[in-house]
Amino acid sequence: MSAVLIAEEAAARALPLVAGVLGAGGVAVAVLPPKVRMRAELRRRWRTWALVAPVFLGAYFLGGGGTYALAAGLGVVAVSEFVRMAGLRRGDHLVLATASVALPALAWLAPHVLDLRAAALLLVAAALPPVLGGDDRTGFTRTARTAFGLLWIPVALTGLVTLGETAVAVGLAVALGDVGAWCGGTALGRRGPLARPLSPLSPNKTWAGVLGAAVATGLLLLVLGEFGLPLWGAVVGGCVLGDLIESMVKRESGVKDAGSWLPGFGGLLDRIDSLLVALLLAMVMT
């Protein structure tokens, strides 16, 4: 059986679970009393999830072309947000946007070419705009930020295509891990050792949140029949490091959110930061 059909079957198996979780979540946020401080935000987040989940799973029902469109679409939007935050220029944006379209296409049609040769070409491409433009003041910084953006966004998103059924599990586990982290932080993160922040970059991210994410992602992977220590480690690592990496970028850029078009979440990068790192780690560890 082809990898595309296996991924489609994985999406079909996950559909009732996702529908059940969304249904239960919808009822929960609908009955929240007005005095709950985050009531409005939680409702906005649920509406966003109700829109995003069918798009994510639907891409796998459409086969290779669907997963390519999903990866390329996410990449084009995400790199535009990254370019704005990183202070990059038009040439750098062109390199990142081109890679966002080309790399998922290669992952779909010719995955064997995505090796060390492709990595070398990406590094050269990152340096071309400042080199050809004679930028002797910020050229190295632009090159380094573009190279980081290439690895963080388009390279990571090729995992949506190449990982097949594993990508379905990773995407859903990361989404539930975000909920688990919030629940763990709310329930256990007020005092004690679990209340210690992971990093000054994001003081609200505590060890209690890590515990909540680890439990939630582990349970979901078990339910989906995809549990394995390497994959679980990749997902938990993505849930923990993804947000911290984006917080580092945003703090240096002096912005609160990568964008504002996703109600309750901010920009697209604010939503997929953990997924990007989880996909990279999953490609390495599985």
Side-chain angles (χ1 to χ4, degrees):
M1 186 180 296
S2 71
V4 172
L5 289 177
I6 294 175
E8 183 179 336
E9 288 189 356
R13 291 195 305 270
L15 187 58
L17 175 64
V18 173
V21 171
L22 283 174
V27 172
V29 298
V31 300
L32 283 174
K35 64 180 181 180
V36 175
R37 182 171 56 89
M38 295 185 64
R39 179 172 177 255
E41 180 180 352
L42 289 173
R43 288 184 172 183
R44 284 196 301 270
R45 290 193 172 206
W46 181 86
R47 287 194 294 267
T48 301
W49 277 122
L51 174 65
V52 169
V55 172
F56 177 76
L57 290 178
Y60 287 91
F61 282 111
L62 296 176
T67 54
Y68 162 73
L70 175 66
L74 292 176
V76 168
V77 176
V79 298
S80 67
E81 295 178 347
F82 175 75
V83 165
R84 180 180 65 85
M85 290 194 298
L88 297 176
R89 302 182 187 178
R90 182 178 300 177
D92 311 315
H93 191 180
L94 179 61
V95 169
L96 285 160
T98 301
S100 296
V101 175
L103 291 181
L106 291 174
W108 174 29
L109 301 173
H112 61 279
V113 306
L114 295 179
D115 54 15
L116 187 60
R117 295 169 296 179
L121 289 175
L122 289 176
L123 180 60
V124 171
L128 276 180
V131 167
L132 296 180
D135 185 358
D136 58 357
R137 298 188 61 185
T138 63
F140 178 68
T141 299
R142 287 171 55 198
T143 299
R145 290 179 176 179
T146 302
F148 174 79
L150 286 168
L151 179 61
W152 188 32
I153 302 173
V155 170
L157 287 172
T158 62
L160 292 176
V161 180
T162 59
L163 289 174
E165 62 178 333
T166 300
V168 176
V170 169
L172 296 178
V174 167
L176 192 62
D178 182 61
V179 177
W182 183 81
C183 293
T186 301
L188 304 172
R190 300 185 183 277
R191 60 181 62 88
L194 292 178
R196 296 177 57 187
L198 291 171
S199 167
L201 290 170
S202 187
N204 291 329
K205 299 297 183 294
T206 64
W207 286 103
V210 175
L211 179 61
V215 172
T217 55
L219 288 174
L220 184 68
L221 291 175
L222 280 171
V223 170
L224 295 177
E226 292 285 340
F227 185 84
L229 287 178
L231 182 60
W232 184 43
V235 171
V236 175
C239 290
V240 174
L241 295 175
D243 185 76
L244 293 177
I245 289 173
E246 198 200 2
S247 293
M248 177 180 66
V249 175
K250 290 193 293 187
R251 281 179 175 267
E252 185 170 332
S253 305
V255 300
K256 181 179 182 296
D257 294 316
S260 59
W261 65 284
L262 278 175
F265 290 108
L268 181 66
L269 265 177
D270 298 312
R271 182 61 264 140
I272 67 170
D273 52 4
S274 297
L275 175 64
L276 295 174
V277 178
L279 287 171
L280 281 172
L281 293 176
M283 285 190 284
V284 172
M285 298 176 69
T286 62

